[in-house]
Amino acid sequence: MTEVSANPLKKPALLWASVGALGVVFGDIGTSPLYTFKTVLDMTGGNTPQTIFGVISLLIWTLIIITSIKYAGFAMRIDNDGEGGILALMALLGVKNRRRPAIVAAGLFGAALIYGDGAITPAISVLSALEGLNIAAPSLQHYVLPLTVVILLALFAFQPVGTARIGRAFGPIMALWFITMAVLGLWGIAKHPGILWALNPYYALHYLLYGGSGAFLVLGGVFLCVTGAEALYADMGHFGAGPIKLSWSTLVFPSLVLNYAGQGAIVLAGAPTQGNIFYRLCPASLTLPLIVLSTIATIIASQSIITGAFSMTRQAIQLGWMPRFRVSQTSEEGYGQIYVGAVNWMLMLVTIGLALGFRKSDNLAGAYGIAVSATMLMTTVLLFIAMREIWKWNMLASVMVAGVFFIVDSSFFASNMMKLFDGGYVPLLLAALVYLVMYIWHRGIVALAARSGEDPLPVDVFLDELGASGIVRVPGTAVFLTKTKATTPPVMQWYVKHSKSLQKRVLAVTLEIASTPWVSAKNRLALSEIAPNFWSITANYGFMERPDMPALMAQIATHGCPIQPHELTYFVGMEKIVPREDGRGIPRWIRAVFAMMLRNSARVTDYLRIPAYQVVDIGRQISI
């Protein structure tokens, strides 16, 4: 763990990185003004000055406490070798320092909840943008839902192509979006400048204390203004803390505050609250161009969420918590430019299903917030542990700081839970399904490794048995992937037993995924010749890296191992899962689901980029 430096980049690089961050990091939180204030106002049931001042004050101070203070001020000071986000924090606290199942479980469920957010964000964002047609051209309001579906279909269908080229335009477009929001907000504030008194937190506290039971429920709507705050931390590895903080403090945060204040001001000035209030900030002649810009901004926001889901899936695969999905690198320009087909199409089905099921952004708002608020609550718990163990704060200071965040996050989570039966169950159900997949896969992988490692056979004993059994040693070099070190790979034993032969040179390769995102070249390899022509090799990778066997073999050849990478033969086990006969296996339902996942996961040879013409599959049964 290293603490992020305040400004590691030179000024020009910092500026360009900050512009790039606008298109990746702030898409979700940046499009929240399209629906947040309208949703909250509908929940209050009125638009009295006291209500408007209280709601705007709550929105502003929620942005300050959660985004500016918690994430930009505290969370982004903790990184796992430069990477942020709940999975990186989980790996740092729950695996890297020492194994802690409770922390791992909290981090994984928080990650699973983000998939629910990834399905809802595109639906609610695009719907809310196109609902401006209800104001600009009421005759077209029946086309809002079909257009939403068409845009979502196009968005997901575009993913296999990759986003490297269009990504360059994301930052400037989002910069235009934030500037436009700020200008519209200023225009609204000019209608009723008194709205600026809402900057005083007194109005937020007064509304919460004296607004009745409905005031607490309103927090569930207020929370929508920070649904993208987690991205500041999660995307820290792409841009660094400095550019993200600079973009937030100089453009994004001021634009959001001005726009929310502007919406409140025009309502105080007597603007109608029917339809989308955001578009009432705009002169009628410019509404259609604003709808176009809003739609583009929501597409960018959705793209960021989808890309984030791809990245998190790869992390989970590397950490051993998800099946091997096929991961495609769509550009050589950035490691984050990847595509995971299974995740893309599943997200598409759920997202379009949500849009068709809820039909309006107001309805979908009821399903939004629970997943994100739960993730933020878990992040706060992990931050408290980091304060104690990484920063070495005393208990009082840790409780005082983390306690404030915990109270705020708990309040938002409790309020959002009131929407459970109004659609809030959707992200929780999605998260539960994702978490179940993670749990079953990890449980099966651990059982498989344990079963394969039973009764280890020392290499020297195995080689002595070869000579005694008259096993033929044929020319060539065999590579066996194994999880056991310094002992005979089970796949090799199986192969020799049935083929009665073995190559003269053997490489037993173990791939290990570290709890850090990256592993330096000097720490990549550990190899030794534990017997004549029998090499034991351990290759270490970070959870943000993807192993590449041909590249690894080329590196091994430069470390004293006499091999020709293009002449190697890789022997890979193709396991068929069967139940144990002694009754000590994993539960039947877990075994059945895991076996199905294993059959349908990507081939390990494809995942490791091993050329097909160099592979020999070894089929065998393993009882777990």
Side-chain angles (χ1 to χ4, degrees):
M1 198 285 299
T2 56
E3 185 166 312
V4 181
S5 58
N7 188 2
L9 301 174
K10 295 181 180 180
K11 288 184 177 180
L14 177 65
L15 178 62
W16 282 113
S18 299
V19 173
L22 290 174
V24 175
V25 180
F26 299 106
D28 191 359
I29 197 171
T31 53
S32 58
L34 283 165
Y35 49 82
T36 299
F37 184 62
K38 167 63 176 173
T39 299
V40 176
L41 214 57
D42 289 344
M43 296 174 71
T44 63
N47 55 357
T48 64
Q50 180 182 354
T51 299
I52 300 302
F53 275 96
V55 166
I56 297 300
S57 187
L58 278 170
L59 291 170
I60 292 172
W61 282 94
T62 297
L63 288 168
I64 291 173
I65 294 172
I66 290 184
T67 313
S68 295
I69 298 178
K70 176 184 171 181
Y71 281 101
F74 283 90
M76 293 181 70
R77 292 170 56 197
I78 304 172
D79 71 291
N80 190 346
D81 289 349
E83 293 292 331
I86 194 166
L87 272 183
L89 189 57
M90 175 209 77
L92 175 65
L93 299 175
V95 180
K96 189 174 183 179
N97 290 349
R98 55 183 181 272
R99 297 193 175 276
R100 293 161 153 178
I103 291 178
V104 171
L108 289 173
F109 192 67
L113 286 163
I114 294 176
Y115 284 95
D117 176 36
I120 296 176
T121 294
I124 192 173
S125 299
V126 177
L127 269 174
S128 60
L130 291 175
E131 282 170 354
L133 291 173
N134 298 339
I135 296 176
S139 61
L140 299 177
Q141 59 182 331
H142 298 297
Y143 295 97
V144 169
L145 186 58
L147 281 173
T148 298
V149 173
V150 169
I151 289 174
L152 291 174
L153 279 171
L155 174 66
F156 285 100
F158 177 75
Q159 297 306 311
V161 179
T163 57
R165 294 181 179 177
I166 196 171
R168 298 189 186 100
F170 282 2
I173 291 174
M174 289 306 293
L176 175 62
W177 167 251
F178 286 115
I179 292 171
T180 300
M181 283 204 304
V183 171
L184 292 175
L186 288 170
W187 183 85
I189 292 171
K191 301 286 185 180
H192 198 294
I195 191 65
L196 293 177
W197 285 106
L199 294 170
N200 188 337
Y202 163 80
Y203 291 97
L205 292 172
H206 185 270
Y207 181 75
L208 285 177
L209 294 175
Y210 302 104
S213 59
F216 176 74
L217 298 178
V218 164
L219 287 178
V222 170
F223 184 75
L224 296 177
C225 74
V226 289
T227 50
E230 183 82 16
L232 273 74
Y233 189 31
D235 291 326
M236 190 170 66
H238 292 286
F239 300 97
I244 293 175
K245 289 181 180 180
L246 180 63
S247 295
W248 170 254
S249 59
T250 59
L251 181 58
V252 180
F253 175 66
S255 298
L256 292 173
V257 170
L258 289 173
N259 196 268
Y260 283 125
Q263 291 187 51
I266 62 172
V267 173
L268 286 174
T273 57
Q274 293 79 21
N276 195 316
I277 299 175
F278 173 84
Y279 288 107
R280 298 198 183 279
L281 281 172
C282 181
S285 59
L286 297 177
T287 302
L288 281 177
L290 180 61
I291 292 172
V292 174
L293 178 60
S294 301
T295 304
I296 295 173
T298 57
I299 291 172
I300 293 173
S302 302
Q303 176 63 57
S304 302
I305 290 292
I306 296 167
T307 302
F310 293 163
S311 179
M312 190 168 61
T313 299
R314 177 169 57 186
Q315 292 183 39
I317 292 172
Q318 295 291 71
L319 290 171
W321 286 97
M322 268 201 176
R324 291 185 304 271
F325 295 119
R326 189 182 298 275
V327 179
S328 304
Q329 193 76 31
T330 59
S331 171
E332 297 180 357
E333 299 177 16
Y335 185 75
Q337 296 287 344
I338 61 173
Y339 170 69
V340 185
V343 174
N344 183 65
W345 302 123
M346 284 189 286
L347 272 180
M348 184 193 75
L349 291 175
V350 175
T351 300
I352 293 177
L354 289 172
L356 292 173
F358 287 87
R359 305 186 66 84
K360 295 172 60 179
S361 63
D362 292 349
N363 299 334
L364 200 52
Y368 205 31
I370 291 182
V372 188
S373 60
T375 301
M376 288 184 176
L377 188 59
M378 293 177 185
T379 301
T380 293
V381 173
L382 297 181
L383 282 177
F384 169 75
I385 298 172
M387 290 173 186
R388 295 281 295 143
E389 298 183 358
I390 295 176
W391 291 342
K392 307 299 181 183
W393 284 13
N394 60 47
M395 179 62 76
L396 179 61
S398 300
V399 169
M400 288 181 64
V401 174
V404 172
F405 298 147
F406 187 82
I407 291 171
V408 173
D409 289 336
S410 298
S411 300
F412 281 120
F413 178 69
S415 180
N416 274 293
M417 283 299 292
M418 299 299 175
K419 303 186 293 185
L420 183 64
F421 298 106
D422 293 327
Y425 63 88
V426 173
L428 293 181
L429 181 60
L430 291 173
L433 290 173
V434 172
Y435 187 80
L436 185 63
V437 168
M438 290 178 171
Y439 172 77
I440 292 174
W441 178 259
H442 191 71
R443 182 86 181 268
I445 286 294
V446 170
L448 191 63
R451 189 62 167 161
S452 299
E454 289 181 359
D455 303 321
L457 181 63
V459 172
D460 55 350
V461 174
F462 173 76
L463 294 177
D464 290 342
E465 291 179 354
L466 287 184
S469 303
I471 299 297
V472 178
R473 302 300 296 270
V474 298
T477 301
V479 179
F480 293 92
L481 297 175
T482 179
K483 294 185 180 298
T484 61
K485 296 181 181 179
T487 60
T488 308
V491 174
M492 185 168 72
Q493 297 179 51
W494 189 271
Y495 168 69
V496 170
K497 177 181 178 180
H498 292 276
S499 69
K500 308 301 182 183
S501 64
L502 181 65
Q503 278 72 9
K504 289 184 178 180
R505 184 179 295 111
V506 173
L507 275 60
V509 181
T510 300
L511 302 179
E512 291 197 339
I513 304 302
S515 59
T516 55
W518 312 97
V519 172
S520 63
K522 66 178 182 180
N523 296 323
R524 176 80 68 205
L525 278 175
L527 67 162
S528 61
E529 190 175 11
I530 59 178
N533 284 321
F534 193 106
W535 292 76
S536 176
I537 299 167
T538 300
N540 299 292
Y541 290 90
F543 61 78
M544 288 292 289
E545 299 178 281
R546 179 179 173 184
D548 185 320
M549 286 299 290
L552 178 65
M553 292 298 114
Q555 187 177 358
I556 289 172
T558 65
H559 282 66
C561 185
I563 61 172
Q564 296 295 328
H566 64 279
E567 296 179 354
L568 300 175
T569 301
Y570 297 86
F571 293 86
V572 180
M574 301 290 290
E575 295 87 0
K576 179 181 179 181
I577 305 302
V578 296
R580 289 183 65 146
E581 297 178 355
D582 56 11
R584 293 187 297 155
I586 61 178
R588 180 178 178 180
W589 70 273
I590 292 180
R591 183 177 59 249
V593 178
F594 172 70
M596 181 191 68
M597 290 181 183
L598 191 63
R599 287 194 304 269
N600 292 281
S601 63
R603 286 169 50 87
V604 67
T605 51
D606 294 336
Y607 184 70
L608 299 177
R609 299 187 174 99
I610 302 175
Y613 63 87
Q614 291 182 261
V615 175
V616 174
D617 291 326
I618 307 295
R620 59 189 183 131
Q621 289 187 342
I622 296 185
S623 57
I624 60 174

